[in-house]
Amino acid sequence: MKTRVFVTLKPSVFDPQGRTIVEALGSMGYASVHDVRQGKYFELEVAAATVDEARATVSEVADKLLANPVIESYRVEVDGDDGP
Amino acid sequence: MKTRVFVTLKPSVFDPQGRTIVEALGSMGYASVHDVRQGKYFELEVAAATVDEARATVSEVADKLLANPVIESYRVEVDGDDGP
C-alpha cells in the first residue's frame, strides 16, 4: 500500500532554509513569493491488509524515525483513504 | 495563496537515504515497510490574483531553484485547485 508522510517544522520554529529561499527568490525577481517553509517528504510502500493498519504502522514510523517530535509535526496520507 | 511543491528523485535514480531508512526500519521490527523514497516538501505563500497565476509562478520557481531537473521531478499543488 502506498503511503506518504509530510514532515514540517512546527509553526513556532524558525526555518532558516525557507528564509534563505525567500531571499534568493527576491533577488531573482520573484517578490510575490513572501513566505517559504521547507519540510521533508517520504513515500513508503507498506504491506498492510487495511488502510487503518497501514496508517497505524506509518504513524509509528514517522514518530520514531522520520520526524523529531520536539520541533517537527507530520501528516500521513494513505492511498485509498480520504484522510481523517 | 498557499501552494505546495513536492520534489522527488526520478524513479530511475537510486535513493541511498530511502534505502538506509528501509534498513533501519527492518532492524526496528518494521519489516512490512519494504520501500522508502525520500523527497523535499515546500510550502510557499504567493501573492497571485488567480490559481493559474500562482501555479505558473511556483512551477517556474521549482524549475529554477527548488528542484534539479536532471535527477528530480516535482509536483505543484495550489489551494483551491483540484490539480491538472
Side-chain angles (χ1 to χ4, degrees):
Chain A
M1 205 168 284
K2 190 164 184 174
T3 65
R4 284 172 292 277
V5 178
F6 309 88
V7 176
T8 48
L9 286 168
K10 289 184 179 170
S12 58
V13 179
F14 181 64
D15 179 0
Q17 282 185 297
R19 197 63 234 155
T20 303
I21 294 170
V22 170
E23 281 163 23
L25 288 175
S27 72
M28 289 164 73
Y30 295 101
S32 62
V33 180
H34 48 83
D35 189 40
V36 176
R37 303 280 290 177
Q38 175 157 13
K40 287 176 285 182
Y41 170 60
F42 300 90
E43 289 175 351
L44 294 88
E45 270 289 332
V46 186
T50 64
V51 166
D52 285 346
E53 189 189 327
R55 177 178 293 278
T57 303
V58 173
S59 297
E60 262 185 64
V61 162
D63 241 346
K64 291 190 185 166
L65 191 75
L66 304 180
N68 174 356
V70 178
I71 56 166
E72 292 171 331
S73 54
Y74 63 86
R75 186 162 58 84
V76 173
E77 266 181 19
V78 181
D79 264 13
D81 187 14
D82 297 330
Chain B
M1 205 168 284
K2 189 164 185 173
T3 65
R4 284 173 291 278
V5 178
F6 309 89
V7 177
T8 47
L9 286 169
K10 290 184 178 170
S12 58
V13 179
F14 180 63
D15 179 0
Q17 280 185 298
R19 196 62 234 155
T20 303
I21 293 170
V22 171
E23 281 164 21
L25 288 175
S27 72
M28 288 164 73
Y30 295 102
S32 62
V33 180
H34 48 82
D35 189 41
V36 176
R37 304 278 292 175
Q38 174 155 14
K40 287 177 285 183
Y41 170 60
F42 300 90
E43 290 176 350
L44 294 87
E45 269 290 332
V46 187
T50 65
V51 166
D52 286 346
E53 190 189 327
R55 178 179 291 279
T57 303
V58 173
S59 297
E60 262 184 64
V61 162
D63 242 345
K64 291 190 186 167
L65 190 74
L66 304 180
N68 173 356
V70 178
I71 56 166
E72 293 172 330
S73 55
Y74 63 87
R75 185 161 58 83
V76 173
E77 266 181 19
V78 182
D79 263 13
D81 187 16
D82 295 332

